[in-house]
Amino acid sequence: MLQSYTLAHGEQQNNLLSDYSQATSATTSAANAIPVRGYYDSTRTPTLTWNPVSWAAWYEIQVALSAEFLPGDFVYTKVKIPAGTLSMTLDSLDNGVYYWRVRAIRADRMVSAWSAVESFMVDVP
């Protein structure tokens, strides 16, 4: 289960702590890519996994160095992931904390909101 924490920013002046999410999973080629708060990934090429959206034609995924997804923080962006694909193995990453999100895109190019931001830590000696 996950719980997100959002720092005050812009017009949103309060720190926010979400309710816990439903249980979910993410896998990697060697171990689980699990959200931070004591979790880590023991491979440099984690595989991120998400749940399907019934009307999706494609998915878009973003990985960044901050939960705010600021322009200079992006590590990875992939668009037009086919709807039948529900995971993405990333290229080799340096040790550190990463944040990711995914959204669905309909055939007519209408997009969903971004998913909740999740995080993982790469910690390879």
Side-chain angles (χ1 to χ4, degrees), residues 25-98:
S25 67
T27 58
T28 68
S29 57
N32 286 338
I34 310 169
V36 174
R37 289 198 176 180
Y39 299 107
Y40 65 94
D41 193 329
S42 61
T43 177
R44 291 195 185 279
T45 57
T47 299
L48 306 176
T49 304
W50 56 91
N51 294 319
V53 174
S54 62
W55 50 261
W58 305 283
Y59 295 99
E60 178 179 4
I61 188 170
Q62 292 181 333
V63 179
L65 297 172
S66 77
E68 290 78 27
F69 290 84
L70 301 172
D73 291 342
F74 286 94
V75 174
Y76 188 85
T77 299
K78 176 72 175 174
V79 295
K80 283 213 160 180
I81 300 166
T85 302
L86 299 175
S87 66
M88 177 64 57
T89 300
L90 303 177
D91 296 332
S92 184
L93 298 172
D94 293 331
N95 285 346
V97 176
Y98 296 89

Side-chain angles (χ1 to χ4, degrees), residues 6-15 68:
T6 303
L7 293 172
H9 63 281
E11 293 181 21
Q12 199 298 96
Q13 293 298 306
N14 298 307
N15 293 331
E68 290 78 27

